[in-house]
Amino acid sequence: MTEVSFHTGVPDPLGHACRLLRKAVRLGSRVAVTATTPALSELDRTLWTFEPLEFIPHLMRRAGQPVAPRHAVTPVWLVERAADAPRPDVLLNLGEAVPEGFERFARVIEVVGTAPEQVASGRARWKHYAGQGLAITHHVMSGEDAR
């Protein structure tokens, strides 16, 4: 059964995602990040500049784009659709909708910002997961916690 965690009240969702991805990579996890293409492009840029002395190996993959064998070991995949990431352990959702195929992941992490539309879509996603009978872990972030 998929484990679902919500991180709510996140003042900087992209920065928070970078910290979560850094932790996941250090733990040896493979992560798919879902969002819109513009948000994924911004995350891609942020991952390159997030920490000056660190690098989080990642690959942005567009739907239908072939995967070179040498890229298959990349631990972080930035994808619009969760199905476009090979062999993932964790799904990190920065999007506004429940990712299609979330069930194939051992863990789903939902990052919810502070804007009213982000809060509303986060609530809808929470209701969806709860309606599936999934247990949800909730982490309320504040300015200090989200760093």
Side-chain angles (χ1 to χ4, degrees), residues 117-128:
E117 64 275 3
Q118 294 169 332
V119 173
S121 69
R123 285 184 180 138
R125 293 192 308 276
W126 182 297
K127 287 179 185 177
H128 177 83

Side-chain angles (χ1 to χ4, degrees), residues 10-11 20-21 23 30 32 35 43 75 80-81 83 96 99 130 133 143:
V10 179
L20 289 171
L21 292 171
K23 181 177 179 180
R30 298 177 56 81
L43 178 60
E80 284 185 356
R81 297 176 333 121
E96 300 297 315

Side-chain angles (χ1 to χ4, degrees), residues 18-71:
C18 288
R19 287 184 289 283
L20 289 171
L21 292 171
R22 176 178 58 197
K23 181 177 179 180
V25 168
R26 286 179 179 170
L27 293 173
S29 297
R30 298 177 56 81
V31 184
V33 182
T34 54
T36 62
T37 297
L40 291 173
S41 294
E42 189 173 348
L43 178 60
D44 179 40
R45 285 188 298 278
T46 304
L47 284 168
W48 282 99
T49 59
F50 163 63
E51 285 288 338
L53 301 176
E54 289 188 63
F55 176 68
I56 299 170
H58 65 282
L59 177 70
M60 187 160 168
R61 181 173 185 213
R62 304 214 189 303
Q65 180 182 25
V67 178
R70 70 179 194 268
H71 293 148

Side-chain angles (χ1 to χ4, degrees), residues 9 25 39-40 51 66 71 76 93 95 97-98 105 109 125 138:
V25 168
L40 291 173
E51 285 288 338
H71 293 148
V76 176
N93 185 33
V98 173
F105 293 83
I109 301 172
R125 293 192 308 276
H138 187 200

Side-chain angles (χ1 to χ4, degrees), residues 3-7 91 107-111 126 129 135-139:
E3 175 186 322
V4 180
S5 297
F6 270 78
H7 294 221
L91 173 62
R107 184 168 185 209
V108 174
I109 301 172
E110 291 278 353
V111 176
W126 182 297
Y129 294 122
I136 300 171
T137 304
H138 187 200
H139 305 276

